[in-house]
Each structure stands twice: as structure tokens, then as C-alpha cells.
Amino acid sequence: MALRLALCLCVYLLFTQGAEGSIDDFDCVEIYKQPAFQHPLLKNHKIQETFSSYEDRERSDNYETKEQCPKGTVPILRQRNGSESFHLNTAEYLGEHFATIETMLDGSIYRGAEAEISVHSLYLEDNQYSKSQIWLENGASGQLNSIHAGWAVHPRLYGDSVTRFTIYWTGDGYGKTGCYNTQCPGFVVLSRNPRIGNQFSGSSVYGETSVYFTLQIFQDRSSGNWGLKLGNEVIGYWPKELFTELNKGASLVRYGGNTFISTDKLSPPMGNGHFPVADFLKTAHFKNVLIIDSNYKRVYVEDKKLRPYADVYDCFKVTYWGYSRSSGVSFSFGGPGGKCGI
């Protein structure tokens, strides 16, 4: 019965609400006047309406919210004062911790990734963050191209401790390019529904219910742009002009959790704040974990091509469950945080 309830809640979150809050937190901007087109490489960019991977970017009536922007405009989250230059995602930034599974660097090329991700509520201090997301990367450290998408609790970025749908990109190893959401020119928003930076309408309850959303990042076969699909809707994309290495595909795909410590050197909780267990009602987890291979086909990753990684096992853990008929390829992750070192 618990499993059936969790599955029902998954469908409810995906197709009726998803990442949804108040449109009052967003400005409805003419689609060609959104921040993306301030990028010097996108001044003559033509918005991509259709994707070769799909017949069209779906606009399901079931997925539309009551509050959306008028036709010809897209919602852009208003920036919090002081967050414009916020750039804590640097790989070398001390204080980050991870509990993830990732593909081996064996020369394979990937055209995307997909998973159903459980949603959880956490309370964090101002300088902390906790994320559950998918990364796609290619390139050496100084030229690293990276795309992230998933949920984040990020008080310094948003001004609250609410779980929100969050994206990020960089084209130069977290140097001078890239940002969260639409804080800088880059990501092109397509959906009239407020998604990027918006709060989720539901959250898992420990031991009772699991709430999910389905996320897919994919490289379009014809254009080379990187599309972002939330539930049944392609909500936007990262134009290929932003990248040098990811234009060749992703050499690494990573799934799981990431945290950053506060000024008192305490790491926040990850996932649902508990260590991973087999019962999905009591643990943060990813299920139906897929990659899009070099032939643009959605497939499960072979076990031998994946490795689990947790850098501080006293604080965070990850348990890989492999394939099952009910959950596909899945894993659990998370932990309470605390004094985890830097």
C-alpha cells in the first residue's frame, strides 16, 4: 500500500503541480528580452521550438499551472539583492561534500541523463546549501563544461530555506562564466509556467510518503543544444554556444547529493537528513536512473560503468541498489551532516 501511495504522489507532483509557487516572485518578460539574449554569443540566436529527440516540446494541459505568463513571455525569477555575483559552486571551494554515483571516465560519450528524484524539506543556515541533482560534464578542470539541475535548499541564493528547482552551468571550470538559474545570460527559458527557481508544491514525509519529480537533461541531435525536461515539458535549454567541450557530448554523468558548510564549519544535512536504507519511504533516493548513450538512446547504465562516491562517510553515505523491476536502476544517499571537515 505504501509503494502504491508513493507512486500516486509521484504522478500528482509531476503532472499537476511540479515546481510551483507564486507567479508574484517572477517577472513575465518578452521571450526574446529574457537574460539569455544579453550573452554576446546569443545576440542572433533563434529560439529552438522543436527538438529532434521528441516530436515537439510538450505543452500538456495537465501540466499547466493556474498562474502562468501570457503568450509571448516567459517567467524570470527576481534576483535577491546581493546574489548577482554569487558563485559558490567552484570545484576547488573548500567545504563541499558529496554522496553520489557517477559514470567511469572510460572514454564513453553521453548525450543526456534522466532520473526520478525524491523531494525533501530541510532547514539550513544562511551560508549552507544542500542539493540533490544531476551533473553532466566534459573537459579538463580549467576548461570544464558542466550542467547541473535538480532541487536545492540554498538560503544565501534564495533568502529562505525552501526546496526549489535549481539549475546551474559553467563553461570554464567555474571561473568567469556560468551562474545559477537565469542570474546571468545563458539558459533560454521556453515554458510560460514558473519553474526555474520555484519551490516544489510537495515534499516527502519520513516513513509515510515519497514525492518525486522526473528530470531529464538531453543533447538535441540536430542542434547540439542541451534541453531541460521537467516532467512532461521541455522548459528550456542551454545553447551550444555556451560550451566548447559539452558540444562533443558529456564524458561524465553524476547523480546524487552535494552540500556546503556554514561559517561555523558545520555541514548541513543531505537528502532527507538520514543515512541511506532500503526502505524508500525513509531515505532520499533516485530511481529509474538512465543515461542517453552516444546513439541518443535512453538506457540503464551498466553496473560496471558506475562508481559510488562519498567523501566523508561519517556524515554522508550512498548505497547503490542496482536494477529492480519496480524501481529500475536506483540508489539511496544522504546523511545528517555535522562536523565533516573541509
Side-chain angles (χ1 to χ4, degrees):
M1 181 64 184
L3 177 60
R4 290 182 61 189
L5 179 57
L7 291 174
C8 289
L9 277 174
C10 173
V11 174
Y12 177 73
L13 183 60
L14 290 178
F15 295 106
T16 64
Q17 295 184 347
E20 178 181 339
S22 173
I23 194 74
D24 294 338
D25 297 328
F26 292 76
D27 293 314
C28 293
V29 178
E30 289 182 35
I31 193 165
Y32 272 103
K33 291 184 178 179
Q34 63 178 289
F37 295 99
Q38 297 173 19
H39 196 290
L41 297 178
L42 300 179
K43 290 189 180 298
N44 298 314
H45 181 82
K46 183 178 180 182
I47 289 176
Q48 182 173 355
E49 288 284 342
T50 60
F51 295 83
S52 60
S53 303
Y54 307 92
E55 292 182 3
D56 196 355
R57 64 182 179 94
E58 301 177 37
R59 296 182 179 180
S60 169
D61 290 338
N62 291 330
Y63 199 74
E64 290 185 356
T65 63
K66 294 179 180 178
E67 295 182 316
Q68 62 177 197
C69 286
K71 289 184 178 180
T73 68
V74 292
I76 302 297
L77 183 69
R78 292 192 196 96
Q79 288 192 168
R80 181 184 177 217
N81 289 338
S83 66
E84 291 81 0
S85 60
F86 185 69
H87 216 312
L88 264 191
N89 249 4
T90 308
E92 292 79 16
Y93 207 104
L94 297 176
E96 285 196 291
H97 296 296
F98 297 85
T100 62
I101 62 167
E102 61 184 41
T103 57
M104 298 289 193
L105 286 170
D106 59 3
S108 297
I109 289 296
Y110 304 101
R111 303 296 180 179
E114 178 181 330
E116 292 178 40
I117 304 172
S118 62
V119 180
H120 303 276
S121 297
L122 299 169
Y123 180 78
L124 272 64
E125 297 176 13
D126 184 58
N127 271 359
Q128 299 174 326
Y129 67 60
S130 187
K131 303 176 183 178
S132 178
Q133 61 184 18
I134 298 174
W135 295 253
L136 291 104
E137 298 183 341
N138 201 348
S141 59
Q143 293 81 40
L144 181 70
N145 292 184
S146 184
I147 289 170
H148 315 181
W151 64 255
V153 179
H154 203 321
R156 186 173 170 188
L157 178 65
Y158 293 116
D160 56 37
S161 194
V162 174
T163 306
R164 295 175 179 271
F165 184 70
T166 303
I167 64 174
Y168 189 93
W169 71 275
T170 180
D172 62 353
Y174 308 99
K176 296 181 179 179
T177 69
C179 61
Y180 283 101
N181 301 334
T182 54
Q183 285 193 327
C184 67
F187 185 82
V188 177
V189 179
L190 296 176
S191 176
R192 291 163 53 204
N193 299 313
R195 304 292 185 217
I196 308 297
N198 216 343
Q199 66 189 66
F200 286 89
S201 56
S203 181
S204 302
V205 178
Y206 182 84
E208 296 182 12
T209 57
S210 291
V211 177
Y212 308 86
F213 66 99
T214 299
L215 176 66
Q216 185 187 88
I217 305 170
F218 65 95
Q219 187 173 30
D220 184 64
R221 184 195 293 261
S222 61
S223 69
N225 297 327
W226 285 90
L228 179 62
K229 188 176 184 183
L230 181 61
N232 276 345
E233 183 185 32
V234 178
I235 62 174
Y237 63 93
W238 292 271
K240 64 181 179 182
E241 291 89 345
L242 301 176
F243 306 111
T244 53
E245 305 304 318
L246 272 175
N247 291 339
K248 308 166 190 173
S251 60
L252 178 74
V253 180
R254 182 184 297 116
Y255 313 79
N258 167 216
T259 64
F260 182 78
I261 64 174
S262 60
T263 52
D264 58 9
K265 298 183 180 180
L266 289 177
S267 184
M270 179 190 294
N272 68 345
H274 298 271
F275 288 124
V277 294
D279 185 349
F280 280 2
L281 293 175
K282 297 180 179 180
T283 190
H285 57 281
F286 283 50
K287 64 180 185 176
N288 290 313
V289 175
L290 299 162
I291 56 100
I292 301 175
D293 66 16
S294 58
N295 296 315
Y296 297 88
K297 293 183 179 179
R298 295 167 62 250
V299 297
Y300 290 118
V301 192
E302 298 177 66
D303 289 352
K304 65 182 181 181
K305 285 183 171 287
L306 289 172
R307 75 175 189 110
Y309 172 74
D311 63 328
V312 185
Y313 230 61
D314 290 339
C315 294
F316 309 111
K317 298 180 181 180
V318 58
T319 303
Y320 178 67
W321 303 113
Y323 176 83
S324 70
R325 291 182 63 183
S326 61
S327 301
V329 170
S330 64
F331 68 94
S332 301
F333 70 99
K339 293 184 179 180
C340 306
I342 58 173

